[in-house]
Amino acid sequence: MDKKFSPNESTDSQAVRGLAQSGDAEAQFAVGLAIASGGSKSDYAEAAQWYLKAAEQNHIEAQFNLGIMYWKGEGVARDKSLSRMWMSRAAQLGDAGAQYEFGMRQYRLSLDEKAGAGNIVAEESLSRRLDPVW
């Protein structure tokens, strides 16, 4: 479905939930977003379930949000591997935010690997570039 639900629409309405339950990825994402935006951390698990349903249908924003949730452990068990997988999928489908986050996480992992091998020089060099002394 190509319809985007506007912020003014009630994403908690029976019609949208009905569409979500019938498998509409955009509606599933909208319901997940409404739940996650509700403010209660206890609702994150339900939001993650809706995001997962949409993400499995290649909904880019759901994949991105699910990747963030796995990275932070919000509503799901913290799992960097699943976070990378969902972030990678969203990035491959063209989401610029996912491309940035995925690239930065991969870069940090490469620095961690180098530091673990005794090469701390690269990390110190990066610190100097990111925090220059004026």
Side-chain angles (χ1 to χ4, degrees):
M1 178 177 199
D2 290 339
K3 181 180 182 350
K4 297 276 185 185
F5 295 97
S6 73
N8 296 332
E9 284 186 79
S10 173
T11 54
D12 201 30
S13 74
Q14 288 297 96
V16 176
R17 279 198 177 259
L19 285 171
Q21 290 169 340
S22 69
D24 182 279
E26 190 62 42
Q28 290 168 338
F29 172 74
V31 170
L33 185 61
I35 293 168
S37 300
S40 172
K41 290 191 181 234
S42 64
D43 294 334
Y44 286 166
E46 185 181 358
Q49 291 173 2
W50 286 111
Y51 285 152
L52 178 61
K53 291 175 189 228
E56 288 174 337
Q57 297 180 68
N58 290 326
H59 191 284
I60 299 171
E61 294 160 308
Q63 291 173 338
F64 177 79
N65 286 3
L66 197 55
I68 295 294
M69 292 179 90
Y70 274 112
W71 185 262
K72 294 181 175 181
E74 293 179 336
V76 294
R78 187 168 186 195
D79 188 323
K80 289 183 181 180
S81 177
L82 283 174
S83 174
R84 251 189 321 274
M85 180 196 75
W86 286 116
M87 200 66 69
S88 172
R89 287 186 183 183
Q92 289 172 2
L93 290 173
D95 184 87
Q99 291 167 347
Y100 174 79
E101 288 292 331
F102 183 73
M104 289 303 295
R105 287 181 189 355
Q106 291 300 104
Y107 181 67
R108 286 184 192 120
L109 285 173
S110 72
L111 288 179
D112 289 345
E113 289 172 5
K114 288 178 184 178
N119 186 0
I120 299 178
V121 175
E123 190 171 331
E124 290 173 355
S125 174
L126 175 65
S127 294
R128 279 190 225 109
R129 282 185 282 165
L130 293 177
D131 298 320
V133 179
W134 298 100

